[in-house]
Structures are given as structure tokens and as C-alpha cells.
Amino acid sequence: MVFEQEEEAAPGAVHGHRLSTVVPGSVTGEVDYALADADLAFKLHYLRGAYYFPPGDAARGLTTKALKDPMFPWLDDYFPVAGRVRRGDDENDRRRPYIKCNDCGVRIVEAKCDRTIAEWLQDDADGDATDRVSQLCYDKVLGPELFFSPLLYVQVTNFKCGGLALGFSWAHLIGDIPSAATCFNKWAQILSGKNPEPTVLTPENAPLQGHHPPASAVAAPRSVKQVGPIEDHWLVPAGRDMSCYSFHVSEAALKSLQQQARHAAAAAGTFELVSALVWQTVAKLRDGVRTVTVVKADAAGRSGRALANEMKVGYVEAVGSSPAKTDVAELEALLAEGVVDETAAVAAFPGDVLVYGGANLTLVDMEQVDLYGLEIKGQRPVHVEYGMHGVGEEGAVLVQPAADGRGRVVTAVLPRDEIATLRAALGAALQVA
């Protein structure tokens, strides 16, 4: 069953959006898929991932039908992704949300861009890099009618040069960044004619055992900010206008930064180094920012489940001098050794929270995520960048490997009125602008 809709051309480079739906190849049978406490902690957040393929063998002949055909068996494996959110009937359990696996499907969006990929990715001084990810990933959230809201949108944007971008808009409650990336990679394997191992969705999710006290009776962990309660429109409460800005940090810039911070802790890595510089820079803009939230993808700590929210959540607090006046090496050491782990407390908190950008500026470690495993016809994407929708006004910074494995791609989701100053400050330090 496919429904198509032609939308009016939107202003800007990306336009001509057409929507259709793909459902699993076989009937799931109205299965209820429970959401864990950790899943619900991320219910207000949405991942945005854009994968770029240049003109050539990968993009040539890749029609919409060719992209959709492998989605039928893909969604057979990942059937909860094709479902819709429902609420339970038990008032004592706050009408706990779950996923009704009713095969309503995922939305496919076709769009066009009047620029080449090279032009699109060029980080011009006029700010074209701002909200770049958002334009390539369909911008929808869950609700206000939860039972009609897809959990995943896949946007295919064709550039005038013959290249394309695949953009995924993924509701965070069904899985974290590693879960999402693995899911997308599985679809690409089927598209490329491979026969991947079946996806295992067991053991089933389950809430933590025991009675939850009222949210008003306990304090939210320092890593997150309590909001709401949120009803059926899962949208971050209105605040400052947020903007998503992506930039590349070259290997040479990283080496220069490492030389400046050569006395950092032995446990520090590239994520801590880049995050320390961004923390220091934002602290200068805001005159403070003593505490940051850290969200890390830890491959060693994962359960092996296909869909799960298992990223670690904690906070780091700088004591003494302001981070704006603290050496990058000291902040790097703090990020490497001073994180207070609140993962379990965040999952157990009974109220609605903002993890990213809620209580603090949030630094997101994506070093161990397989972002370039989405291969089409044996070709890896030339560039991948992830953003986030539903970030609180404190902002979030995502750090991930670049295509060459040596540089880094950094995406900052911050109040729009801070972006220009951030660009200038980081440009002076890293020569990225």
C-alpha cells in the first residue's frame, strides 16, 4: 500500500517534496512492543542523519523503486520501526506509551536540490552550512496525534550533479545513535544484494521493576532537565530559536590542537579534545557554562540488542576558574576522567526530561558509531553528518569521525543568535570557517 502526495515547492535549495509509504513485506499481527524506561527518557529527541553519495556507480540508476524494494524485508526485521505509538489504559502507570506494531509503515520523501553536492557542502561565509542537515531530513515530530505519526522518515534528495543524499529522521525513543546507524546499514546491505544475519529484537523491553514515585517527589538528575508533563505532542517546549551548524575539523587542525594540549590525561581521546575546545568557546560566549552533560556511545557496554537506548549519560563540572579561562588540556582531562555517570538515574526518573541541551550544554561522543557502513553497490558515502531535533536551549554538540577516519565532523545545535560568533571563534582556533 503506497500513498503519494505532492507538496508545494519550499523556498531554498531543496524542494519538490513527494511523500509515500512503505510497509513491512509480511503482516506483523498487531504486536505490542514495550518501551523501556531509557527509551522514554529520549522521547522528545529526534536523530537526523544525512549520507552523501556523489555522481557515479552508486547513485546511477538508483530509482525510488530500487530504494523501496529492499525496505519490505528490512521492515520485516525491524517491524517496530513501522509501528505507531499508543498509550496504555492504566492511569496508575501514567498511561505508559508503547509501540503498536500495526505495519503502518515508514514515510519515504523524494526531493530535489538545485545545487551540486560540492556546492552544498562548501562551508561558505554566507552561512549555507547552517541547518544543512535539517533540509535533507524531513522535519516532523511525534504527535499531536500519536497514532498517525511515523517513527521514521527516509528522504532521498537528488542533486543537480547526479549525486544524492539519503536523509533519515529517526525518533530517538526507538533506539539510540548506534541502533539507528546499524538499522540504516542493514537496509543498505539488502539493497546491495547481500543476505545479512536476521535482526534479533529480543529480549523484550521492560520497565524497571517497582513503583515509580511522582516526578514532583524526586529531583531530576543533573545531566537532564525536567519538563512537562508532555501530553501527546512530543515537542520540546518553545524557547530560543535553535540552529544546526556543521563543520569539518581537519587532521592537521587536530594535530595542532593536540600539540597545544600535549599534557592532557592519558585517557583523553579525540572526542575529549574537540569537545574541550567547543566547551571553552561556548563558555566565552555565555560567560560561564561550568557544567556540561556528556552522552557517549560505548560499544563495549552494549547488550547486543538491535533497538535500544544504551548510550551513557553523565555530567562533568568544572570547579575553580571558569571554563572560559581554563586551558583546553585541563578541560580535556576533566572530560576523560571526571564524568559522573547518571545513566541509570536518568532512565529511572519518572518525569519527562530533556537530555540534549536541557540542563546543560551536551557533548555527544559518536567515535564508536559505524556511520560509514551504509554502502551502496560497494561504495561508501563521501560524507556523513548527524544532527538533532528537539535540543534544549543550552545546545548540543555531536562529534563524529570524518570520511577519511582522521578528521572529525562536528555538528553544533545552538541558539541561532550564537552561531555566527561560534563560527568566528572556532574558525580562529581551527581554521574551519
Side-chain angles (χ1 to χ4, degrees):
M1 180 178 67
V2 176
F3 166 76
E4 299 216 1
Q5 171 183 329
E6 182 81 42
E7 292 193 346
E8 293 184 7
V14 178
H15 62 90
H17 298 77
R18 290 169 52 103
L19 273 68
S20 59
T21 300
V22 172
V23 301
S26 57
V27 177
T28 301
E30 294 286 329
V31 175
D32 293 344
Y33 182 80
L35 293 168
D37 292 334
D39 298 330
L40 295 177
F42 290 90
K43 69 183 240 184
L44 298 179
H45 301 299
Y46 304 86
L47 301 175
R48 305 288 195 247
Y51 296 71
Y52 297 82
F53 292 88
D57 292 340
R60 187 179 300 115
L62 204 58
T63 64
T64 302
K65 182 181 184 302
L67 292 169
K68 287 181 177 180
D69 283 346
M71 291 183 178
F72 299 107
W74 175 51
L75 293 176
D76 281 344
D77 265 6
Y78 280 95
F79 60 88
V81 177
R84 297 293 184 267
V85 173
R86 296 285 190 273
R87 285 190 182 273
D89 298 326
D90 187 356
E91 293 292 342
N92 293 326
D93 200 19
R94 298 174 288 116
R95 299 184 63 232
R96 185 183 181 89
Y98 65 95
I99 296 176
K100 174 67 72 175
C101 300
N102 51 11
D103 301 333
C104 282
V106 303
R107 290 283 190 269
I108 311 302
V109 184
E110 303 169 65
K112 301 175 183 177
C113 181
D114 296 330
R115 305 173 68 185
T116 67
I117 288 182
E119 291 169 342
W120 182 259
L121 292 177
Q122 185 176 355
D123 189 9
D124 294 326
D126 61 4
D128 283 342
T130 302
D131 290 328
R132 187 167 63 197
V133 177
S134 302
Q135 294 188 60
L136 298 178
C137 303
Y138 204 65
D139 187 19
K140 290 289 184 180
V141 301
L142 297 178
E145 296 178 315
L146 287 176
F147 44 86
F148 285 142
S149 299
L151 298 169
L152 173 63
Y153 288 82
V154 181
Q155 179 172 322
V156 184
T157 304
N158 291 288
F159 292 86
K160 74 173 184 180
C161 60
L164 62 84
L166 297 172
F168 298 89
S169 299
W170 169 277
H172 206 312
L173 87 159
I174 54 175
D176 54 17
I177 300 174
S179 294
T182 301
C183 180
F184 307 153
N185 294 349
K186 177 67 71 70
W187 165 71
Q189 291 171 19
I190 300 173
L191 172 65
S192 298
K194 298 179 181 179
N195 187 23
E197 292 292 323
T199 300
V200 178
L201 295 176
T202 55
E204 294 181 355
N205 279 320
L208 296 177
Q209 299 302 310
H211 173 70
H212 285 296
S216 58
V218 292
R222 292 186 61 183
S223 304
V224 302
K225 178 182 180 181
Q226 183 179 0
V227 294
I230 303 297
E231 297 302 328
D232 287 351
H233 195 188
W234 291 0
L235 180 68
V236 173
R240 299 172 69 182
D241 183 20
M242 306 298 290
S243 181
C244 181
Y245 165 55
S246 299
F247 60 91
H248 179 257
V249 182
S250 67
E251 180 185 16
L254 285 176
K255 288 182 177 179
S256 175
L257 194 57
Q258 288 165 347
Q259 280 294 110
Q260 298 173 42
R262 59 185 179 276
H263 301 301
T270 305
F271 164 73
E272 288 80 13
L273 178 65
V274 174
S275 295
L277 176 64
V278 176
W279 183 5
Q280 182 193 66
T281 303
V282 175
K284 291 177 180 177
L285 300 183
R286 298 181 184 172
D287 189 26
V289 194
R290 289 187 173 275
T291 304
V292 295
T293 293
V294 179
V295 180
K296 297 177 70 73
D298 179 15
R302 299 192 69 79
S303 66
R305 296 181 55 222
L307 294 175
N309 274 288
E310 297 178 333
M311 295 181 76
K312 292 184 176 180
V313 182
Y315 71 89
V316 175
E317 182 179 14
V319 296
S321 61
S322 166
K325 300 177 181 178
T326 302
D327 187 77
V328 168
E330 293 183 40
L331 296 178
E332 183 184 6
L334 268 178
L335 291 169
E337 301 176 339
V339 178
V340 178
D341 190 350
E342 292 191 314
T343 306
V346 171
F349 184 70
D352 293 324
V353 298
L354 286 180
V355 179
Y356 301 98
N360 314 299
L361 173 69
T362 304
L363 307 171
V364 186
D365 181 357
M366 298 170 58
E367 292 286 313
Q368 298 183 34
V369 182
D370 184 15
L371 298 178
Y372 291 88
L374 196 156
E375 296 185 3
I376 297 178
K377 301 177 185 177
Q379 301 295 312
R380 289 158 54 94
V382 293
H383 183 67
V384 175
E385 52 191 10
Y386 267 65
M388 188 83 65
H389 184 88
V391 174
E393 61 186 38
E394 294 300 320
V397 178
L398 290 72
V399 181
Q400 64 177 74
D404 59 9
R406 297 185 294 272
R408 291 297 181 271
V409 175
V410 181
T411 300
V413 186
L414 294 172
R416 189 175 296 274
D417 57 9
E418 292 183 354
I419 292 294
T421 308
L422 176 77
R423 286 175 60 113
L426 289 176
L430 297 172
Q431 299 181 350
V432 296

